[in-house]
Amino acid sequence: MNITKNNVDALNAIVTVEISKSDYSAKVEKTLADYRKNAAIPGFRKGAVPMSLIQKQYGKAVLLDEVNKLLQENLNRFLVEEKLDILGNPLPKVTEDFNWDVEDYKFEFELGLAPEFSVDLTAKNDLVQYKIVADNKMLNDQVARIQKQYGKLIAKDTVEDGNDVSGIFANEEKGINNRTTLSLDVFADKKTAKAFIGKKVGDVITLNTKGLFDDDHKLMDYLAVSHDDVHGLDVDVTFTIDEVTTHEPAVLDQELFDKLFGPKVITSVDELKAKIKEDAEKQFEQQADQKFLNDVTEFLVTSTKFDLPAEFLKKWIQTAGENPLSAEEAEVEYSKSENGLRYQLIEGKVVTDNNLQITFEDLKTYTSDVIRKQMAQFGQMNPTDEDIQGIVARVMSNQEEVKRLSQQVMNEKMLNLYKDKVKAKSKEVSYDDFIKAMYGEI
């Protein structure tokens, strides 16, 4: 057997596999001999069927099978031994006049080669690494929500200033039908709030969505409208009142603090606000980190220039799925997946260049931390190490979970690397401004 590679260009190559009779004949003969031992053909005793008959009936199929096995085994070995970094899988070149009746065969395969490129994490950029701060307004609002949540709820017959109103927003044409609860101060215009005063359960109020709230994003929460539809939405909606309530706010005393955080953990309103700020900013840090990771990813895809074997990949896409695609369909699929492929290559390069590896201990430590946080959310603040390790062992026996957690560990390593290497501008923002930045509005 002889295998050779010919580079068409930097991104494409042809591998030629030449198979001679001596490569497959012994295996074909052995397989046919095994067939003969077990063949049950009328007129012949078992094991006494003439080999010429076995050859006629099974010879071609056995030949094709053995040659195909040789092809796959040796082609794969060649790719590994030559350390070829390929994209997709080798594509056999179709030969219209291929002749299986000869004894020696030649097969050709097209390869798409991964491009050579470098990734400059220190390149000039316009990236921003956000630090989200819990401002005084947020802290005061959160304290008010706590007082409301733990206060006394009182049902009312008629809407008065300061009440909460529950009901259904509806617009049949836009498919809006969402039950929600809101306070009257949520509206941007005080006239809108006044329209509710004096109304009762069962009353219907018609409102226009344009400028209904101080931030159009609130339409997503109250009307269950998608982000793509909220900006400039200008339709009439009805609000059918089905409940009116008022709250007697809870007193900010030691009894409430203990109920929230345990005995004597918090002893004053200032300490309560400090705790709220600490917890909120921890959650905000995760969101800011995810945005930074996404922004760096987009920057690297845009700024790291290299060519791909596009025509090869389109041909490969045509045959890669369960159902063959037309050239036009493959073109569409390639357009959808190109950036994802580019980032896979970039990520692989970053991992290699910076020797980012996931060890078993990394995975165990990360999984333990995740489990401890989850248990804390359900009030289990001090689980034993034995309990944690038992859960870790069960989780890591699931290959799908290991794969998912490994990706999260690698994302964390990539994030820490980007924070260290990428020269982004730091910026403190409120949570509201961060949300606007998320959607490209500041």
Side-chain angles (χ1 to χ4, degrees), residues 9 55 70 102 111 133 204 349 402 430 437:
D9 54 38
Q55 175 69 40
L70 280 171
V102 299
L111 301 183
V133 294
V204 179
K349 181 69 172 171
V402 170
S430 68

Side-chain angles (χ1 to χ4, degrees), residues 380-394:
Q380 301 179 55
M381 306 303 294
N382 297 298
T384 66
D385 288 341
E386 185 178 355
D387 288 340
I388 293 295
Q389 293 311 312
I391 299 172
V392 169
R394 289 197 296 275

